[in-house]
Amino acid sequence: MTDKRAPRLMSYAFPACVAAALVFVAPAFGAEGAAKGPSEVVFIGQLLVLMIVGRLLGEAMIRMGQPAVMGQLIAGLLIGPSLFGLVLPDLQHALFPKNPEQKAMIDAIAQFGVLLLLLLTGMETDLRLVRQTGKASVFASLLGILVPFACGVALGEMLPDSMLPDPEKRLITALFLGTALSIASVKIVAMVVREMNFMRRVVGQVILASAIIDDSVGWIIVSIIFSLALHGAVDGWQLAQSVLGTLAFMVFSLTLGRRIVFFIIRWVNDTFVSDFAVITAILVIMGAMATMTHLIGVHTVLGAFVAGILVGESPILTKHIDEQLRGIITAFFAPVFFGMAGLSADLTILHDPHMALLTVGLIVIASIGKFGGAFIGAELGGLTKREGFALACGMNARGSTEVIIATVGLSMGALNQNLFTMIVAMAVITTMAMPPTLRWALTRIPMRKEEKQRLEREEQEAKGFVSHLERLLIAVDDSPNGKFASRVAGMLAGTHGMPTTVLHIKDAEKIENTDKEDKSDPTGNPKVKAAEKRAETKKSAKEAGPASEKKAEHAGETVKQAAEQIQRAQKKDEKTDQPVHVTTIVHEAPGPDVIAAEAEKGYDLMLIGVENTAHRGKDFHESVEGLAKGFDGPLAISAVRGALAAKHDGKLNILVPVNGTEPSRRAAEVAITIARAGKASLTVLYVAARTGGRVRRGLRSRRNEEAILKDIVAIADGYNMSIRTAVLTSAKADEAILKEAARRKNNLIVMGVGKRPGEKLFFGDTASSLLEDAGCSLLFLAS
């Protein structure tokens, strides 16, 4: 993890800081002077220096196997009174003047940065992980909090009056010290656990879950202590109000508030045509929840943190949106906030032997308390001694969480400058000591048998198709085809609570296969056109009548029932508490333009189920082509026949042909998902080519066959499923497939296909032959 260039990079960081200060501060003084009020140029210079030095030192820290946030904090220490202020005090004061107006400008950015960092921390918090790890993480976290918290409170009670910001508020300071000593940093822990490839190991999950509980409990405690600090003393009634208000806020947020947040994000994503509208909605949600916590008398950080948890659980929060938000926070607000935190600390106090000794004592008490509490909790939670040792090592990192808490304490007067500096020093040392110790401890932990099986399954899912789906669109009518497509959609959606939109078609026969020219928007903005088309769809829904709306709701219920079916079949470590949200839309005959407008909302797969699938034997019907033409993405098209036409929810016996291509692997995944939900039989068939009456199967061919089938079997094994495999030799793949389906009495063939170029919807000769000749039901999955 180390890089020989890291020391050289670090050596360049401080000169870069000085050069930036000279370049940007000198003109500010020349034009305005330091004493004439706030200067925009000085403000810009401060931001640039914090970003440049923070980035350089963050890069160096990463190359040395340390978190980037430590580099940003150290950057603040270097350009503050601890070093830059000693070497070039006049220049340092010029860049960061003490006058309140100038300081307020950069402080405003830093304080908003606190809320954004808590939002990001909440988005990275996985409450499901806490539930999966059970009592081990709860015991480890609670004892890991209680022991160091008690130590911190005791230390605060023993400090001399000269060390306190206000001796009359000793208990408030003691409570803050206890909180600061007891919280671990999720981000730092996650970084090392991910780097060591332990993210999905049992001990890795327990470590992360314990850190999540630490963070969650910590911000609740901080908020309550903030309320006490506002009133200046511990008052029973005020304490009860703060605790009850916090509990009420948490209950509201995790129940009704969750639904409100999900609805807002989905509505903004589906309605607004402007860029980055969802990010604006997320920031508004954060601000609203931070204001709510302020109104109930606790700190705004709790509102921002809980908002992050709810936003992170939103089922349609795409990776793209998450990366955009994360990018601006980590690139701008994080270096400014942590740099300002470092600037607020003055390490020159450690020249005093008494202060240095107190700082060492604080670090020792914090480390022993956290390590001991977490280790005992791990033992009580059923972990082995090696696992408990690794967990205790990981929980000792304070990192960014500690700095944020210390900053809040300093701003509210619970900590003075000396205590703040001591806590920052403790955060830096414990955080930098944690990665090497945790790496060493994790390498000594053997892998359990059940872990091995789960990791193999998750490795398969990581390169899979179904696991990466986030939102489904189904276009169906009231035919058996439509009902079966709704059933399949529910099985897929239930795997991890995917929002699903049911576009119910009143008259599929009227769907046209050509795009209509759209002149409604002269600007040519596709988002505006999409919004207009969605408005047309809403109008069509209103005109469809109650009977059509009732049929659409019935299709939605089919989706939900199938989703519940797959969720019941899932293992404990797969289960999600996120129900499938179904939106129903009614349209008389949606053409390609209507489908394209709806697709603007962002769907990963479209399922089509209309009464007439085939036309003139091998060709798809115009209604299917019209729907497919409007969707630029993966498609699933059902053609229900035989027993499933009479009973769409009947028992399934599935055949999936594979040939080693990506579409066939996707089809196998979908078939396995369907089979799991319905406890169906599944056969995987490989057809070996035969030319001129001779079988072309050498050693290499047989190895390829084995590898392809073994890959599919491995997916099924991850879910403890037993499937059949078969290899047939034939000159024509369609004949072999139909022969095997007849022999196995399969009532459903799931086939992966690829779209071929041309105006017509064509998946190749094999698919066309099956569409014409198969007596059983078909499900084509097209990439």
Side-chain angles (χ1 to χ4, degrees), residues 178-192:
T179 306
L181 266 62
S182 59
I183 306 302
S185 174
V186 174
K187 290 183 180 179
I188 310 301
V189 171
M191 180 203 75
V192 179

Side-chain angles (χ1 to χ4, degrees), residues 198-211:
F198 267 72
M199 187 63 81
R200 302 305 300 169
R201 292 278 300 271
V202 169
V203 65
Q205 291 186 330
V206 173
I207 292 172
L208 284 177
S210 301

Side-chain angles (χ1 to χ4, degrees), residues 253-561:
S253 299
L254 297 176
T255 52
L256 183 60
R258 179 189 300 213
R259 296 181 182 179
I260 294 173
V261 169
F262 290 0
F263 171 79
I264 290 172
I265 293 177
R266 185 177 63 252
W267 181 78
V268 169
N269 179 77
D270 294 353
T271 306
F272 282 63
V273 298
S274 53
D275 293 329
F276 311 117
V278 173
I279 292 181
T280 302
I282 291 171
L283 296 178
V284 169
I285 290 168
M286 180 198 74
M289 297 189 73
T291 303
M292 287 175 63
T293 53
H294 174 75
L295 292 176
I296 63 176
V298 297
H299 202 279
T300 53
V301 293
L302 179 63
F305 177 69
V306 175
I309 292 176
L310 301 184
V311 168
E313 291 185 340
S314 174
I316 64 167
L317 186 68
T318 64
K319 184 179 179 181
H320 180 59
I321 292 172
D322 179 73
E323 287 176 349
Q324 287 174 334
L325 188 60
R326 188 182 305 274
I328 187 63
I329 294 173
T330 56
F332 176 66
F333 287 98
V336 171
F337 169 74
F338 290 113
M340 289 300 297
L343 274 164
S344 301
D346 186 1
L347 296 181
T348 58
I349 67 168
L350 299 181
H351 291 162
D352 181 351
H354 180 65
M355 293 300 300
L357 189 61
L358 279 174
T359 304
V360 172
L362 180 70
I363 295 170
V364 171
I365 291 172
S367 299
I368 293 177
K370 191 68 177 176
F371 188 95
F375 185 80
I376 295 170
E379 288 274 300
L380 294 176
L383 297 184
T384 65
K385 285 184 168 56
R386 288 186 177 184
E387 290 172 336
F389 185 82
L391 185 146
C393 289
M395 298 296 287
N396 197 36
R398 270 60 177 196
S400 56
T401 306
E402 185 83 352
V403 177
I404 295 173
I405 289 176
T407 304
V408 171
L410 183 65
S411 66
M412 71 171 61
L415 303 175
N416 59 17
Q417 201 69 43
N418 289 348
L419 284 175
F420 176 82
T421 299
M422 292 166 61
I423 291 174
V424 168
M426 183 260 289
V428 172
I429 292 173
T430 58
T431 301
M432 296 188 74
M434 186 275 283
T437 57
L438 180 57
R439 290 186 189 108
W440 177 79
L442 289 176
T443 57
R444 301 174 66 245
I445 300 175
M447 184 179 292
R448 302 177 182 181
K449 181 180 178 181
E450 60 273 17
E451 275 189 297
K452 188 171 185 285
Q453 183 184 31
R454 177 170 55 81
L455 290 173
E456 288 173 351
R457 185 192 75 230
E458 290 175 354
E459 184 180 353
Q460 291 286 348
E461 289 179 344
K463 55 185 179 182
F465 172 67
V466 174
S467 59
H468 287 86
L469 297 176
E470 293 183 349
R471 195 176 188 188
L472 304 181
L473 173 64
I474 63 173
V476 295
D477 56 16
D478 201 39
S479 65
N481 256 330
K483 293 175 181 178
F484 182 72
S486 299
R487 180 187 178 188
V488 172
M491 292 174 179
L492 295 175
T495 54
H496 47 278
M498 296 177 230
T500 302
T501 298
V502 176
L503 179 58
H504 196 271
I505 302 166
K506 186 178 179 182
D507 191 353
E509 290 294 326
K510 293 183 179 180
I511 297 175
E512 297 183 11
N513 188 24
T514 56
D515 288 303
K516 297 177 182 178
E517 186 179 359
D518 189 350
K519 299 179 181 178
S520 58
D521 177 40
T523 65
N525 186 337
K527 290 188 177 182
V528 174
K529 291 182 181 179
E532 291 174 351
K533 291 301 176 185
R534 289 199 291 268
E536 290 179 15
T537 301
K538 290 181 180 179
K539 182 180 178 181
S540 174
K542 290 180 180 179
E543 296 172 350
S548 295
E549 290 181 5
K550 189 173 183 181
K551 289 178 180 178
E553 290 173 2
H554 182 70
E557 285 301 316
T558 301
V559 172
K560 290 181 180 179
Q561 290 170 7

